[in-house]
Amino acid sequence: MTCGKIDWWREPDLTGLLERHGQVEHLVVQFDFLAQAKFNGRAEFSIPGASKKFNGETGYADIVSITTGEIWEIKPRKLEDKAVKEATWYVENAKARCDPRWHAGESFTTKNIARPGLVYEIKGNGNKAELFAVQGQPGAVLYYWLINGKPDSVLERSFAWALRLAIVGAYFATSQTLQPLPGSKAPDNLPPGKFKPPVLQPGSCIPELNKFLKLILKSIRTTCAPTIFENGAVAILLEPGIYNRLVGPRIVANQLGSLQVKQVDPTVKLYRETLAILTTAGLTHGIVGAVIGLPVAFVLVIIIAAPAAPEVAGGGVIAFGVEATTAAGAPTVLANGVLGTLTTALSTQIRVAVAAGAAFLVLATPRASMADTSTPVALDVSLPKFTILTPAQAANARLGQSVPLDGAEWIIAGIATTPPD
């Protein structure tokens, strides 16, 4: 097997898998890590010659960052030395057989900003259990539990069972047949996790987004998660106002039956001029973008994707794709008119993407001049957000469902899932 394969189940390193088999903490940490776009992370990353049997066969690193070239081993806090030793083994083989840039990881973080390190929390019957994961020595990610605020390295058996069952219920679909590895015993008899690239199946998005499925999928994989946990999903979220503008005309038309409902016409002056500005900028300059929160030496530019002309979707929402590339000394950004407002909005709304090739779907509505309602003066810009769902959450997710995120309500406009084996 070559470097970077993630379908470990086709050619498993049984020694390595059995060693961590049943450690639900291990799975939760992987899930949290992959949800951080900045790492462009992978779990169960194959490295030729790195098997823990030391027989020259393929081994699998717990987590790696494609962005930074870092490798980590996940262990309980008490096994830090072992984690470092195993990560070192993976790095040695990765340097020799994959790429010399690989090194022991030192930049591990969790996605919880308010409480750094927290990856899982559950409350019940007056008790609270919290799972934390932190960066240890280079190459080591160390986890531990806090039970009612106190460290508890050895969980009471009954409590450990309850925690395990709760995590199983969240991370394994009820329809999934769990196949323990040979030699595993209860309660440590969970299968190791499978992580796969998300896909968009027909009917997985509202019809108004069907023209943009390829771009949306690229956006998910480059800004959210290249891989997700099997039977999990990525919810594609839109702001309620944008969602209603997109689906409103269709819903009204369906409700009124044979009555003809006039859609917003892109040929009217307001939309025609807005489209002309965007198209001309894309063709003439090729670059619309701005630096968005990255070091000065690393410039992220936004390029209107081919075809250059954006489209009008649903109820008059202008939709167009942008793709990110790195460049030294990007041309000066246009700083006035509709385009200037657009780039400002992009600068504040687009998530920081550290990898070249990131893609975004931009949804915008023209804002007209108060003096002339047919003259565009700015664009109100919105970008879809993505949130990763556990299998339990994915089983209940539906198009049109309201989801709280970052203190606001968003609407599910699409659901990316994992393909079968």
Side-chain angles (χ1 to χ4, degrees), residues 11 25 31-32 37 75 84 115 141 158 185 209 214 217 232 241 271 288 297 356 361 396 406-407 409:
E11 193 179 324
E25 299 93 341
F31 189 96
D32 185 273
K75 295 289 185 190
V84 171
R115 296 193 64 193
V141 170
S158 60
K185 298 179 181 180
L209 294 182
K214 184 178 293 187
L217 184 59
Y271 278 84
V288 183
L361 174 66
N396 297 314
D406 299 333
E409 289 296 318

Side-chain angles (χ1 to χ4, degrees), residues 80-309:
E80 181 173 15
D81 289 344
K82 188 173 185 180
V84 171
K85 181 179 179 181
E86 293 180 3
T88 301
W89 170 245
Y90 286 136
V91 168
E92 289 174 357
N93 284 276
K95 279 180 172 289
R97 308 188 186 208
C98 301
D99 191 307
R101 75 188 185 97
W102 289 107
H103 59 282
E106 298 184 69
S107 67
F108 175 84
T109 59
T110 57
K111 66 180 182 179
N112 192 317
I113 299 175
R115 296 193 64 193
L118 183 64
V119 294
Y120 184 80
E121 179 180 17
I122 187 170
K123 300 176 183 178
N125 298 323
N127 292 307
K128 180 171 69 173
E130 300 168 302
L131 178 62
F132 286 82
V134 296
Q135 172 73 54
Q137 297 178 51
V141 170
L142 309 174
Y143 63 80
Y144 61 93
W145 287 95
L146 287 185
I147 309 300
N148 297 322
K150 298 180 180 179
D152 193 346
S153 58
V154 181
L155 298 177
E156 181 183 348
R157 184 175 178 83
S158 60
F159 201 10
W161 269 92
L163 288 175
R164 191 174 299 277
L165 289 174
I167 294 176
V168 169
Y171 287 83
F172 291 93
T174 54
S175 60
Q176 187 175 359
T177 301
L178 305 183
Q179 297 291 342
L181 290 171
S184 61
K185 298 179 181 180
D188 295 327
N189 60 346
L190 300 180
K194 296 181 181 180
F195 295 89
K196 301 178 178 180
V199 297
L200 283 172
Q201 304 287 2
S204 59
C205 290
I206 57 176
E208 291 74 16
L209 294 182
N210 283 344
K211 293 181 180 180
F212 310 102
L213 294 185
K214 184 178 293 187
L215 179 66
I216 292 172
L217 184 59
K218 184 175 182 181
S219 183
I220 290 173
R221 293 183 177 180
T222 57
T223 68
C224 175
T227 61
I228 58 175
F229 190 51
E230 183 180 41
N231 294 309
V234 177
I236 302 159
L237 307 177
L238 299 181
E239 293 181 87
I242 292 291
Y243 181 89
N244 291 333
R245 288 191 191 99
L246 285 173
V247 306
R250 170 171 53 86
I251 293 175
V252 171
N254 291 340
Q255 290 174 341
L256 296 182
S258 60
L259 293 179
Q260 295 298 313
V261 179
K262 185 177 177 60
Q263 301 272 337
V264 175
D265 186 357
T267 63
V268 299
K269 189 171 185 290
L270 177 65
Y271 278 84
R272 186 175 66 245
E273 290 198 4
T274 304
L275 290 169
I277 292 171
L278 288 171
T279 303
T280 302
L283 293 176
T284 304
H285 302 278
I287 294 178
V288 183
V291 179
I292 49 176
L294 296 177
V296 175
F298 185 90
V299 180
L300 185 68
V301 295
I302 307 302
I303 301 175
I304 294 184

